[in-house]
Each structure stands twice: as C-alpha cells, then as structure tokens.
Amino acid sequence: MSAARETAVQVAIVGGGPAGLAAALTLSRSMIRTLVIESEEPARNGASPFVASLPGLDRQKPDDVRGAIRSDISAYPYASFRRGKVEDLRKSGPVFKLILSEETVAADLVLLATGMVDQYPPLTNLHSFWGRSIINCPFCHGIEWQGARWGIFADRPEVLAAAEIYLNWSDDLVYFVGPGAGMDESRHSELLNLGIQVEPNLPQGVNGSEGALTGTLMPDGRKIDLDCLLVYPYQKVPELVERLSPTLREDGSVWVDEGYRSSIPGLYAAGDLVYQGHQNTPTALHMGNLAAASIVMDLCFGKGSSPVIPGSS
C-alpha cells in the first residue's frame, strides 16, 4: 500500500458549511494558504428547501448558496478543498496534524466549523417531514406557515417559555408538553389564556404524505390534526471535537473568546459549534468571517491563540 500523501497549509478548516466557507473566503482574500475539509455526509441543512433571511440570496437552496460561495473562493488561488472524514486531529510539535484516509495535512492553525450533531426525539416518521413541515426555527420557516395550525414539541423549559414568540406567526397553536419542560400551574394558565391548546404529553409519531404533515399520533391513540410541527433537537459536539476536549459552555457548545479562539492554542471554532441560540446561515457566515479575521491577525503577529478562559487562574 502506498504511503498517504502529505499536504502543508497555513490553515485547515474542518467543515464546509456556511461558517467554514465564509472563513475560507476571507482567508483567501488575505492570501492565506487554506484547505477546507468537507464531510462526505449530507449537509446538516440539506433537508431544508431553502435558506432564509440571507440578503440577496433569500429562499435559495442550501446547495446553491454553498456553490455561490465556493465560486467566489475559487476566484483566488489560495484555498483548496477535500471531501472526507478527519479521522484524527492532534498537535504535533509546532503544527496540527489532520489524518484523512489517504492524506495527512499539516496546518499551522485549525478552524473547526463542523456544526453540531442533532439528537432527534423518538418521534416515528420524523425524518419523512423534517425540514419541510417539521421545522426547528420560526425565523427561518415561520412565514411559510403563517396562520396555519402549529404543534410545538415542548420537551424542555426554553421551548415552553417561547409560546409568545411562536404566536407571532400563528395564533393556532397546540403545545405538546413533556415532563422535562417543567410546566407549573402558572404557566399552564398563561398558555390557556393565550388561546393555546395544551396537551400534557408528547406525541409518539406523525403522519402525512410527501412531506406534508397532517397530524400527530398521541400515546393514548388519539390523532391531533396539524399543518406543521416545531421540534428543536438537543445537540452535542461531533466525536472529533469531543476527543479534542476543548472547554465547553453550559449548553454543550464550544467555548470561544471574542476572536473565536478555543481553549486549545491554535484551535479556533465558529458557526453552530459555538452557539446554540439563533442558529442560521447568516449568523454562521458572520462568525466564520470574524474567526478568519482573528486567524489572519494572529498569523501576522505570530502569537497563535492564547485565550483567557473564564474561571481559569
């Protein structure tokens, strides 16, 4: 068997989503030799019919948005792309070594833009409707369901607390409340006073056809009619990131400083990996651009990243 080829770059970006591509574009325009390693798995937003609220590209398909950014990057001779899995990532002397199946990459600095791993609830047939009539973000897809009959899968307190927000798009809401939501009598009364139907159990499955939801299946056998269902999955960092053991925030995302430097010197992170709030393409693009700017400045000053971690001495 022939030896794996070796490639040396200034920056390796793990992840070819919005954050990684935005970073690659800024690095290219800063004349930084960059390699973007893209996963062979389907894009995390691949099930979505379009990207929303992206100025100039509103409602464009995710693949088309990524293609447009890649086209911009290709106008400069500084970035290249690989498709594959990073099997290992470790510091080796002054550089990072990224191990792929047929290649070893040596990089001065690394940007993690892998996104998070969604942990979907045990809802039968969820993936048949995911991204179409089962949505996870009202800001991304709410207007397409304005005035429709919504179901809210409330399996945690923050979803229970957001009812007033969802009412902005529809006043016909059914709240499915699980034990983990922590609903008390006061909040129950508030939901009822808002005109929201409250179901004290989570559904077991959904039904419909060709991506169009018609309703949910309840544990007691009832069927509740719906047009769309909002489900916000729990998330965790990918296995590669977990093995690196960077400092995490309380919500499980990767801690970074204002320059998107992680707790590991030379290792940066951006995009959904560092933020479990309002995750969307415009936000990820913004973070990727800022992370790249920090990388360029750190390379110019030759200091790498030495962040001050909250709570450290």
Side-chain angles (χ1 to χ4, degrees):
M1 180 180 296
S2 60
R5 68 180 184 273
E6 294 190 3
T7 302
V9 294
Q10 290 172 279
V11 179
I13 300 175
V14 184
L21 292 175
L25 180 57
T26 297
L27 292 170
S28 292
R29 289 184 53 82
S30 301
M31 299 176 291
I32 302 298
R33 288 179 291 105
T34 303
L35 176 65
V36 182
I37 303 169
E38 301 178 294
S39 172
E40 294 179 328
E41 299 294 323
R44 190 159 157 250
N45 67 346
S48 177
F50 54 79
V51 171
S53 301
L54 183 57
L57 292 171
D58 185 48
R59 292 182 59 86
Q60 298 299 306
K61 294 179 180 179
D63 283 347
D64 292 342
V65 172
R66 286 190 292 272
I69 303 173
R70 284 188 60 140
S71 178
D72 289 340
I73 295 169
S74 68
Y76 307 94
Y78 299 101
S80 55
F81 292 83
R82 299 284 190 279
R83 291 189 65 83
K85 179 181 179 181
V86 178
E87 298 174 354
D88 192 23
L89 168 58
R90 60 180 181 268
K91 196 71 184 284
S92 178
V95 300
F96 287 91
K97 289 292 184 72
L98 297 88
I99 311 301
L100 286 70
S101 61
E102 298 182 356
E103 183 176 9
T104 297
V105 178
D108 297 328
L109 303 175
V110 173
L111 172 63
L112 297 174
T114 60
M116 296 288 273
V117 177
D118 290 314
Q119 298 178 289
Y120 300 100
L123 194 62
T124 303
N125 293 331
L126 179 148
H127 291 285
S128 297
F129 305 93
W130 181 251
R132 300 175 70 180
S133 52
I134 296 183
I135 63 175
N136 72 332
C137 175
F139 293 95
C140 299
H141 300 288
I143 195 169
E144 280 71 35
W145 297 100
Q146 59 180 311
R149 184 167 172 80
W150 287 41
I152 310 296
F153 193 93
D155 57 348
R156 66 183 93 174
E158 54 265 41
V159 179
L160 184 64
E164 289 82 354
I165 299 174
Y166 304 140
L167 285 168
N168 179 70
W169 286 274
S170 177
D171 59 6
D172 190 1
L173 302 184
V174 181
Y175 247 84
F176 302 99
V177 183
M183 184 170 67
D184 56 22
E185 292 185 6
S186 175
R187 185 55 172 164
H188 186 235
S189 296
E190 289 175 350
L191 295 181
L192 294 178
N193 290 335
L194 289 169
I196 296 173
Q197 178 181 337
V198 177
E199 290 288 334
N201 289 294
L202 296 173
Q204 292 182 328
V206 293
N207 52 27
S209 63
E210 298 181 352
L213 192 71
T214 57
T216 60
L217 306 174
M218 301 303 293
D220 59 9
R222 289 181 300 134
K223 296 181 180 180
I224 296 179
D225 293 339
L226 294 176
D227 297 310
C228 74
L229 178 66
L230 187 140
V231 176
Y232 186 58
Y234 283 96
Q235 297 176 344
K236 65 177 183 178
V237 299
E239 181 185 355
L240 175 69
V241 178
E242 187 177 4
R243 292 202 307 268
L244 291 167
S245 297
T247 297
L248 302 182
R249 301 183 192 276
E250 289 186 5
D251 65 2
S253 60
V254 173
W255 175 88
V256 291
D257 70 4
E258 69 280 359
Y260 293 88
R261 305 171 185 92
S262 79
S263 60
I264 300 174
L267 188 69
Y268 301 72
D272 292 352
L273 186 62
V274 306
Y275 178 64
Q276 287 207 41
H278 184 46
Q279 295 177 338
N280 60 24
T281 296
T283 303
L285 290 169
H286 172 70
M287 289 190 281
N289 178 58
L290 291 179
S294 292
I295 289 171
V296 173
M297 288 185 281
D298 288 347
L299 284 170
C300 290
F301 284 104
K303 67 178 186 179
S305 61
S306 299
V308 177
I309 305 168
S312 63
S313 57

